[in-house]
Amino acid sequence: MLVSDIVRNNARFFGDKEAVVVPGGTTRTWSDLDTRTTRFANALLGLGLSKGDRIALFSPNCGEFLEFFFATAKSGIIGAAVNIRLSAHELSSYLAYVEPAAVLVHADLADNARTWLPDVPSARHVIGFGGDHGFALDLEQLIARASAEEPSVHVGEDDVYQLGATSGTTGIPKAAVLTHRNAIAALQNWLAELPVPEYGTALQCIPMFFNPGGPSGLHPVLLKGGRTVIPPAFDPAEFPRLVQEYRVTNTTIVPTMVQMVVSQPDVERYDFSSLRGIMSGGSPYSAGVLKRAREVLGDVLYPLYGMAESYSCGAVLRPEDQFTEGTEQQVGWLDSIGRPLTMINLRVVDPDGNDVPHDGRTSGEIWLSGPSVSPGYFNMAEETARSRAGEWFRTGDVAVIDSEGFVTIVDRLKDMIITGGINVFSIEVERVLQDHPEVEQAAVIGVPHEKWGEAIHAVVRRREGSTLTEAELVDFAAQRLSGYKKPRSVEFVDALPISATGKVLKKELRERHVRTPRHPAS
Amino acid sequence: MLVSDIVRNNARFFGDKEAVVVPGGTTRTWSDLDTRTTRFANALLGLGLSKGDRIALFSPNCGEFLEFFFATAKSGIIGAAVNIRLSAHELSSYLAYVEPAAVLVHADLADNARTWLPDVPSARHVIGFGGDHGFALDLEQLIARASAEEPSVHVGEDDVYQLGATSGTTGIPKAAVLTHRNAIAALQNWLAELPVPEYGTALQCIPMFFNPGGPSGLHPVLLKGGRTVIPPAFDPAEFPRLVQEYRVTNTTIVPTMVQMVVSQPDVERYDFSSLRGIMSGGSPYSAGVLKRAREVLGDVLYPLYGMAESYSCGAVLRPEDQFTEGTEQQVGWLDSIGRPLTMINLRVVDPDGNDVPHDGRTSGEIWLSGPSVSPGYFNMAEETARSRAGEWFRTGDVAVIDSEGFVTIVDRLKDMIITGGINVFSIEVERVLQDHPEVEQAAVIGVPHEKWGEAIHAVVRRREGSTLTEAELVDFAAQRLSGYKKPRSVEFVDALPISATGKVLKKELRERHVRTPRHPAS
Ligand SMILES: Nc1ncnc2c1ncn2[C@@H]1O[C@H](COP(=O)(O)O)[C@@H](O)[C@H]1O
């Protein structure tokens, strides 16, 4: 099955039903969408692009975004939606690697795009849409002129559908090649978990260029003839109104957004009874937020673990496993990523590739395999080989498994600190530091040390007005952690370097430290 | 993903949970089952069987049946569970075609097997199990002696996992080749519809050699660590007790069985609250049975359409589409097969291969494609080619689609009668005849006719004591059907020829008629 089958099948069986609703904008049925995306595909092919070429999309959320997914699927041209929050330099570096033959730019970002487009020499065509864009080519005109006959390109399940950018905490994003098979498998993995009614309604909350969001701007709701409601951006105050007005059944969202929604003062006034299942990824929920979210929204949250390389598939903490009260082990599962999805093989392995015991203590790297796992990075044979062990993808996430099979991430492999031959998980130390009432945010890294190999170093942003000292904070940590885990040095900063997807760039911290060590290795 | 991954993954994440429960017999955990099926696989390989060889299983439902599925999956040996209700002649004909290198026989059927085993010369080994069987080889002994190391056979997703026998209303069953990819896709299709909790409980009702049942003796419950409760046979009086005792969450069943269950006098005394989703296939529900079933069992029925060649996947009538009351069109949907499953492409096409209009009147053949559709019949290149149109499998089922996309089967292509150049659906005529209070069962066929090509002929079993005449019945039909649809002749019989799966063998009726025509073509 191909991604394009979704729109074709829905045109056949749900033709008159709504497919895309832009609040205050256009609404399209599945029949419309099918015809329009065929024309869109033909328009691209008509410009001389062919199967396997890349086309970049630079746009906020909008109806055309979904059309882009189906048009690329139908034409065999590989879609590459780019993160609009990247800097001009980051964008042109990423696109110099992806080499798109064309770039689609939303009118609202036309001026932005003009700053980096000259540095993307591969782009033979720039196509504007969504308003006054000033580019020579206009998407609507191209679509209007193109044929509505199915393109004659042969697209197979193992052909590339999109490129999924990795989050790039370690430099310019790599692009994971995502095939039609990967996409369909991912959608099925989610359908196997979430209740999704026939012609339900998905509300688009996260940016559609994200993972999940790039490719999974295609919500599983679509597979049962459902529609997507696409506001231009997420607004926690608008969310309750939209859910109520459109009888939203499903959505994809990150925990921070959920927290923002459920802390709205008037949130209880709204009707959330239409909600069936919310896909939620990126980080675990705190017990407090989850409890509150379940009170307000219902028992509809499905925290998911995954990454660009697995089309965002990995594990799920099922509702029946979400204990806000219970035994210590049960409540502890809230920090876990749960158990593997139904079409994911997941192992936690030691450096020799053997499964670690299920003791909740022995850590290892998470390896994944299954039909949603990307065949590799675009044009990066070496990086691909390094990230594999046979059929397994090495995630770089370090985790433990408990006696009941629940998997809890303890660190990123690259962020783990080896001091005196012992592994220390930066996340564990960060959690303790963040418990200090005067700490706003903390990042813990390993810095070179002659005797211990690495020493633990904390980079900390204090709350406004705080006069917390290094000695006080180290002392605080020492009372809560084994001796070898406490930071040897603390550095206070005004801001931590953050990636476009909101993650602390530890690599940058490590590099900075090597350039200007505050505590010379002693 | 492979079928064997299910048992491996469950051993990893649900190792201590129950996998198979035989009431009054053995219970095994997922860890047990993983080890046992590895030994089972090694035992078969140790006998000299290798990947691609066939092994037949001749057994009523039992724990070993499920083990057989995983052992074949792990070894790459192709499983062929056979219908134990076939005659000795049918069995040996089918097995002469399948050519199993070994046959596994349950002790209860050992004497039966001895009558046809001599006619299966390919079978180098006969292995008995489940009691005193008298064969030289014993499964338990072989398992006990075999290694628990993973076999080193390489099995891929497109390798053959099982042979699925077609229902054989048209002669000796053909064997549809079913790959690992087909099996996993089917399980995912069902998971996309049915609520299935983590470590749920499936109750095995239909024979495990059936479709669904052969391959889908693997219930989707297994993909979330669930167990299967396997009584030796279906008993409508036992069903309520078993559901209550084992807190059954899911099952697979046919409408006749449901009817038997809900007509038990004391059925309301039992607790069915554990039920989440019931897969049900083979024929549509009457409004009465469905209504009663939903009252007793809850809103948990998922009528499914499919066939051996699609790993039983095709369409589903979702609970939200089951109207026992409503508009005429809505209530009419109960006769429909609903809409395609999420990973099934389904078309209804005219003889030129064009989609028929969605007018609820124009009929065409149902074509299917998707990852659960078999690549073809075992060793039957010609039959395979005849059943395909490009990537599409031609089901031979004739259907109409209404304005809302609901598909209703009107006949089998082979059973459709062409009289005076007009198509008449045998099922439509049968329904009318069966409405006569003195008709127990009716089958309508076309018989050669010089002028019209075919004439409509009815073969009818009257209710006991009835003296209904041919003229009376033709008259009854004439009042309810257009002139060209009424039977030209009626033949009363004591019994209709029925296939092992309970379907009327119209081919046999047609052949009989050609041999001894009661009404010579005039
Ligand atoms: N839900 C259903 N409603 C009507 N006919 C069905 C249904 N499911 C299966 N069938 C019929 O059974 C055939 C498959 O038989 P088998 O190969 O034994 O699985 C199909 O081709 C249909 O003709």
Side-chain angles (χ1 to χ4, degrees):
Chain A
M1 188 165 163
L2 305 170
V3 171
S4 48
D5 286 326
I6 300 172
V7 65
R8 272 192 291 265
N9 289 340
N10 284 349
R12 201 171 267 134
F13 291 94
F14 300 94
D16 298 337
K17 299 263 188 285
E18 291 177 356
V20 185
V21 179
V22 176
T26 316
T27 293
R28 293 194 198 280
T29 65
W30 280 107
S31 292
D32 287 353
L33 200 71
D34 189 29
T35 313
R36 231 178 106 80
T37 54
T38 297
R39 288 184 192 275
F40 192 159
N42 284 324
L44 300 180
L45 295 166
L47 289 175
L49 272 72
S50 41
K51 183 176 161 182
D53 283 347
R54 275 80 56 212
I55 179 164
L57 173 61
F58 191 64
S59 174
N61 290 357
C62 58
E64 289 84 352
F65 222 115
L66 207 69
E67 296 171 5
F68 173 80
F69 292 137
F70 289 125
T72 49
K74 285 181 173 180
S75 63
I77 299 165
I78 302 171
V82 289
N83 186 337
I84 60 176
R85 300 191 196 150
L86 296 179
S87 68
H89 173 72
E90 286 169 323
L91 277 165
S92 53
S93 311
Y94 180 63
L95 291 178
Y97 151 58
V98 166
E99 295 189 290
V103 181
L104 268 160
V105 179
H106 191 283
D108 291 355
L109 298 172
D111 288 340
N112 174 326
R114 271 184 272 267
T115 65
W116 49 263
L117 275 170
D119 299 322
V120 185
S122 64
R124 302 195 302 273
H125 307 284
V126 179
I127 308 165
F129 69 97
D132 235 2
H133 49 73
F135 295 109
L137 293 173
D138 176 73
L139 181 63
E140 285 307 321
Q141 279 177 18
L142 292 175
I143 288 178
R145 270 192 246 124
S147 150
E149 294 275 301
E150 278 277 317
S152 59
V153 184
H154 181 269
V155 179
E157 296 183 330
D158 291 313
D159 282 328
V160 184
Y161 155 59
Q162 301 285 310
L163 298 182
T166 60
S167 58
T169 46
T170 52
I172 296 300
K174 297 190 282 284
V177 150
L178 299 170
T179 65
H180 286 260
R181 195 187 297 292
N182 294 155
I184 299 295
L187 290 165
Q188 292 292 332
N189 263 325
W190 297 321
L191 276 181
E193 302 299 333
L194 289 147
V196 170
E198 224 171 24
Y199 35 94
T201 299
L203 178 63
Q204 187 68 41
C205 289
I206 52 176
M208 295 174 85
F209 53 75
F210 259 21
N211 286 299
S216 59
L218 292 189
H219 196 278
V221 155
L222 275 54
L223 281 168
K224 293 189 187 170
R227 63 180 179 173
T228 311
V229 174
I230 312 184
F234 174 74
D235 176 347
E238 275 290 279
F239 181 94
R241 206 186 54 69
L242 290 170
V243 169
Q244 180 174 294
E245 177 175 343
Y246 292 98
R247 308 282 311 143
V248 169
T249 57
N250 301 82
T251 185
T252 305
I253 201 167
V254 297
T256 341
M257 290 175 169
V258 172
Q259 180 168 15
M260 286 158 81
V261 166
V262 298
S263 352
Q264 296 292 311
D266 63 343
V267 71
E268 322 246 1
R269 275 186 23 222
Y270 291 90
D271 177 8
F272 294 109
S273 64
S274 57
L275 286 173
R276 291 285 167 276
I278 298 181
M279 296 166 62
S280 170
S283 59
Y285 277 87
S286 73
V289 172
L290 189 73
K291 207 171 158 178
R292 173 89 182 125
R294 290 171 73 162
E295 272 164 23
V296 175
L297 306 174
D299 197 0
V300 292
L301 283 160
Y302 292 75
L304 293 158
Y305 160 78
M307 60 283 304
E309 291 90 337
S310 64
Y311 207 109
S312 304
C313 290
V316 57
L317 185 67
R318 299 185 167 123
E320 54 262 54
D321 299 322
Q322 297 168 14
F323 290 83
T324 52
E325 278 150 47
T327 67
E328 199 184 328
Q329 188 182 26
Q330 286 174 331
V331 176
W333 292 339
L334 285 186
D335 290 329
S336 83
I337 57 169
R339 290 187 174 123
L341 289 165
T342 55
M343 273 197 293
I344 284 283
N345 302 323
L346 187 155
R347 295 173 61 203
V348 178
V349 298
D350 67 20
D352 298 328
N354 298 314
D355 285 37
V356 300
H358 291 201
D359 56 10
R361 283 180 294 114
T362 316
S363 65
E365 186 182 8
I366 298 181
W367 289 9
L368 300 178
S369 73
S372 60
V373 175
S374 159
Y377 298 111
F378 179 69
N379 275 351
M380 281 186 169
E382 240 180 71
E383 303 266 349
T384 300
R386 232 179 301 148
S387 68
R388 308 285 146 155
E391 87 236 53
W392 297 92
F393 166 64
R394 309 165 57 136
T395 65
D397 288 318
V398 182
V400 296
I401 308 191
D402 78 358
S403 59
E404 294 285 302
F406 288 86
V407 182
T408 303
I409 295 183
V410 293
D411 213 347
R412 291 280 309 159
L413 207 52
K414 285 181 181 135
D415 297 336
M416 211 171 65
I417 302 157
I418 307 178
T419 182
I422 307 178
N423 294 345
V424 174
F425 304 126
S426 60
I427 292 178
E428 188 184 354
V429 184
E430 285 160 8
R431 278 211 194 110
V432 166
L433 298 180
Q434 256 143 5
D435 278 347
H436 191 287
E438 292 184 43
V439 169
E440 182 75 41
Q441 194 173 20
V444 167
I445 58 172
V447 296
H449 189 283
E450 246 177 33
K451 189 163 157 214
W452 299 316
E454 286 186 301
I456 301 172
H457 176 67
V459 187
V460 172
R461 185 154 64 87
R462 280 172 293 200
R463 287 198 198 275
E464 239 187 81
S466 159
T467 55
L468 183 69
T469 66
E470 174 170 17
E472 282 164 0
L473 189 55
V474 170
D475 192 49
F476 177 85
Q479 283 167 38
R480 288 158 178 85
L481 290 165
S482 330
Y484 68 95
K485 292 182 186 171
K486 80 165 193 228
R488 297 287 134 188
S489 51
V490 176
E491 175 185 354
F492 294 109
V493 295
D494 292 335
L496 284 158
I498 301 286
S499 81
T501 58
K503 294 178 183 166
V504 175
L505 295 165
K506 291 201 184 167
K507 194 185 176 200
E508 201 173 310
L509 290 179
R510 280 188 290 263
E511 277 167 3
R512 262 194 221 170
H513 203 274
V514 173
R515 279 199 310 270
T516 55
R518 207 180 129 261
H519 291 252
S522 61
Chain B
M1 187 165 166
L2 305 170
V3 171
S4 48
D5 286 326
I6 300 172
V7 64
R8 273 191 289 264
N9 288 341
N10 284 349
R12 201 170 267 136
F13 291 95
F14 300 94
D16 297 337
K17 300 263 187 285
E18 291 177 357
V20 185
V21 179
V22 176
T26 315
T27 293
R28 293 195 198 280
T29 65
W30 280 107
S31 292
D32 286 354
L33 200 70
D34 190 30
T35 313
R36 230 177 107 79
T37 54
T38 297
R39 288 185 192 276
F40 191 160
N42 284 323
L44 300 180
L45 296 166
L47 289 174
L49 274 71
S50 41
K51 182 176 160 182
D53 283 347
R54 275 80 55 210
I55 179 165
L57 173 61
F58 191 64
S59 174
N61 289 357
C62 59
E64 289 85 352
F65 222 116
L66 206 70
E67 296 171 5
F68 172 79
F69 292 136
F70 289 124
T72 49
K74 285 180 174 180
S75 64
I77 299 165
I78 302 171
V82 289
N83 186 337
I84 60 176
R85 300 188 197 151
L86 296 179
S87 68
H89 173 71
E90 287 171 322
L91 278 164
S92 53
S93 311
Y94 180 63
L95 291 178
Y97 151 59
V98 166
E99 296 188 290
V103 181
L104 268 159
V105 179
H106 191 282
D108 292 354
L109 299 171
D111 289 339
N112 174 326
R114 270 183 272 268
T115 66
W116 49 263
L117 276 170
D119 299 322
V120 186
S122 64
R124 303 196 302 274
H125 308 284
V126 179
I127 309 165
F129 69 97
D132 235 2
H133 48 73
F135 296 109
L137 293 173
D138 177 74
L139 182 63
E140 283 308 320
Q141 277 176 20
L142 292 174
I143 288 178
R145 271 192 243 122
S147 149
E149 293 274 301
E150 277 277 317
S152 58
V153 184
H154 180 267
V155 179
E157 295 183 331
D158 290 313
D159 282 327
V160 185
Y161 154 59
Q162 301 285 308
L163 298 182
T166 60
S167 58
T169 46
T170 52
I172 294 302
K174 299 190 282 286
V177 150
L178 299 170
T179 64
H180 286 259
R181 195 188 297 290
N182 294 155
I184 298 295
L187 290 164
Q188 292 292 332
N189 264 325
W190 296 322
L191 276 180
E193 302 299 332
L194 291 147
V196 170
E198 224 171 23
Y199 36 94
T201 299
L203 178 63
Q204 187 70 39
C205 288
I206 53 177
M208 294 173 86
F209 52 75
F210 260 21
N211 286 300
S216 58
L218 292 190
H219 196 279
V221 154
L222 275 54
L223 281 169
K224 293 188 189 172
R227 63 180 179 171
T228 310
V229 174
I230 313 184
F234 173 73
D235 177 346
E238 275 289 277
F239 181 93
R241 206 187 53 68
L242 289 169
V243 170
Q244 179 174 297
E245 178 175 343
Y246 291 99
R247 308 280 313 142
V248 170
T249 58
N250 301 82
T251 184
T252 305
I253 199 166
V254 296
T256 342
M257 290 174 167
V258 171
Q259 180 169 15
M260 288 158 80
V261 166
V262 298
S263 350
Q264 296 292 312
D266 62 343
V267 70
E268 322 245 2
R269 276 185 23 221
Y270 291 90
D271 176 8
F272 294 110
S273 64
S274 57
L275 286 173
R276 291 285 167 275
I278 298 183
M279 295 166 62
S280 172
S283 61
Y285 277 87
S286 74
V289 172
L290 189 74
K291 207 172 158 174
R292 172 90 183 123
R294 290 172 71 164
E295 271 164 26
V296 175
L297 305 174
D299 197 2
V300 292
L301 282 159
Y302 292 75
L304 292 159
Y305 159 77
M307 62 280 309
E309 292 91 336
S310 64
Y311 208 111
S312 303
C313 289
V316 59
L317 184 67
R318 297 183 169 126
E320 54 263 51
D321 299 323
Q322 297 167 14
F323 289 84
T324 53
E325 279 152 47
T327 68
E328 201 185 324
Q329 187 181 27
Q330 285 174 332
V331 175
W333 293 338
L334 285 186
D335 290 329
S336 83
I337 58 169
R339 290 189 175 123
L341 290 165
T342 55
M343 271 197 294
I344 284 282
N345 302 324
L346 186 155
R347 295 173 60 204
V348 178
V349 298
D350 66 21
D352 298 327
N354 298 315
D355 286 38
V356 301
H358 291 203
D359 57 9
R361 284 181 294 117
T362 315
S363 65
E365 187 181 8
I366 299 181
W367 288 10
L368 300 179
S369 74
S372 61
V373 175
S374 158
Y377 300 111
F378 179 69
N379 273 353
M380 280 186 169
E382 241 180 71
E383 303 266 350
T384 300
R386 231 179 302 146
S387 68
R388 307 287 148 154
E391 87 234 54
W392 297 91
F393 166 64
R394 308 164 57 132
T395 65
D397 289 317
V398 182
V400 296
I401 309 191
D402 78 358
S403 59
E404 293 286 302
F406 288 87
V407 181
T408 302
I409 295 184
V410 292
D411 213 346
R412 293 278 309 161
L413 207 51
K414 283 176 185 141
D415 297 337
M416 209 170 67
I417 302 159
I418 307 179
T419 181
I422 306 177
N423 294 345
V424 174
F425 304 125
S426 61
I427 292 178
E428 189 185 353
V429 184
E430 285 160 7
R431 278 210 194 112
V432 166
L433 298 180
Q434 256 144 5
D435 277 348
H436 192 289
E438 294 184 41
V439 169
E440 181 77 41
Q441 196 172 20
V444 166
I445 57 171
V447 296
H449 189 283
E450 249 179 30
K451 191 166 154 209
W452 299 316
E454 284 187 301
I456 301 173
H457 175 68
V459 188
V460 172
R461 186 155 63 88
R462 281 173 293 202
R463 287 200 198 276
E464 240 186 80
S466 159
T467 56
L468 183 68
T469 67
E470 175 170 17
E472 282 165 1
L473 190 55
V474 169
D475 192 50
F476 177 86
Q479 285 168 36
R480 289 161 177 81
L481 289 165
S482 329
Y484 68 95
K485 291 182 185 170
K486 81 166 190 226
R488 297 287 136 186
S489 53
V490 176
E491 173 185 355
F492 294 109
V493 295
D494 292 336
L496 286 159
I498 301 285
S499 80
T501 57
K503 294 178 182 166
V504 175
L505 295 165
K506 292 202 183 169
K507 195 187 175 199
E508 201 172 311
L509 290 180
R510 279 187 292 262
E511 278 166 4
R512 261 193 221 171
H513 203 273
V514 172
R515 281 198 309 270
T516 56
R518 207 181 128 259
H519 291 251
S522 61

